[in-house]
Amino acid sequence: MTVPTRTPAVGTAQPQPHDQAAGDGARRAARALTSAVTVLTVGGARPHGTTVSAVVAISRTPLLLGVCLRPTSTFADRLRDTPLFSVNVLGAAQERLARRFADPERPDGEAQFAGMSVTPDPLTGAPLLADCVAHLACSVVRRHHIGDHDLLVAEAVAGDSPGGDPLVSFATRLHRGLHRTDDDPDPWER
């Protein structure tokens, strides 16, 4: 006689013991998640920027973004002083900026932006980097500690999108631009 098994409802599965090989496979597979490369900036007396590829739109109304940061990062610390920051979506030719703001040895404060063309975001006061494919002005509405990162939920209160080819992160490497496969309209515009 075969005994039927029941599949637990979504969200009710019991945690299984950690399988190192499965975890390694999952980490390798997660590297295939392609994302825009961005530099988050915060203004004030000590402006700061940091490169991240963990920014995602999570709601359309209101327009909410999810941003993942190490809780010990300087940027996460600066957001404890102000809830306002800007997202600079880098263009295909801005790999140098991505690497600069990812360098743990970069200078602090305004020196990070030396020699760069920047303007202050009129809403956040954060430096906006020139020649980006898009900018967003954001205000943190929630902060959650999840795993080894903080997940910030931020409302995008303003932005602009001059356009161009983005710099993207795929398989732990930077890639220049995207090639469209069709002319479908933007699903966010529907």
Side-chain angles (χ1 to χ4, degrees):
M1 168 183 235
T2 308
V3 177
T5 58
R6 293 182 59 187
T7 303
V10 174
T12 62
Q14 296 299 311
Q16 300 299 312
H18 180 70
D19 177 345
Q20 183 67 38
D24 290 345
R27 278 185 284 286
R28 281 191 302 277
R31 292 180 187 130
L33 297 171
T34 304
S35 59
V37 179
T38 63
V39 172
L40 306 181
T41 54
V42 64
R46 282 184 18 235
H48 186 76
T50 190
T51 300
V52 300
S53 59
V55 177
V56 64
I58 56 176
S59 170
R60 214 163 48 165
T61 306
L63 182 54
L64 297 176
L65 303 179
V67 177
C68 296
L69 297 169
R70 286 187 331 273
T72 57
S73 72
T74 301
F75 196 85
D77 186 52
R78 290 296 316 281
L79 286 181
R80 288 179 182 85
D81 299 335
T82 177
L84 303 175
F85 68 96
S86 293
V87 178
N88 298 270
V89 182
L90 298 184
Q94 294 180 302
E95 182 176 342
R96 184 183 63 77
L97 290 179
R99 295 191 186 286
R100 177 180 179 98
F101 287 101
D103 182 356
E105 302 298 318
R106 70 188 178 279
D108 191 29
E110 288 193 27
Q112 285 183 54
F113 303 93
M116 294 179 201
S117 179
V118 297
T119 57
D121 186 308
L123 294 175
T124 68
L128 294 179
L129 305 174
D131 303 321
C132 289
V133 298
H135 295 104
L136 293 147
C138 299
S139 178
V140 176
V141 294
R142 288 191 181 84
R143 187 180 203 138
H144 306 279
H145 185 71
I146 300 174
D148 61 357
H149 276 64
D150 281 351
L151 169 63
L152 305 177
V153 178
E155 183 172 2
V157 295
D160 70 330
S161 182
D165 287 330
L167 184 65
V168 295
S169 174
F170 171 73
T172 70
R173 298 223 175 3
L174 298 179
H175 300 269
R176 294 184 176 114
L178 298 174
H179 300 285
R180 288 188 64 138
T181 58
D182 56 41
D183 290 325
D184 283 344
D186 182 348
W188 282 74
E189 296 299 323
R190 292 182 187 159

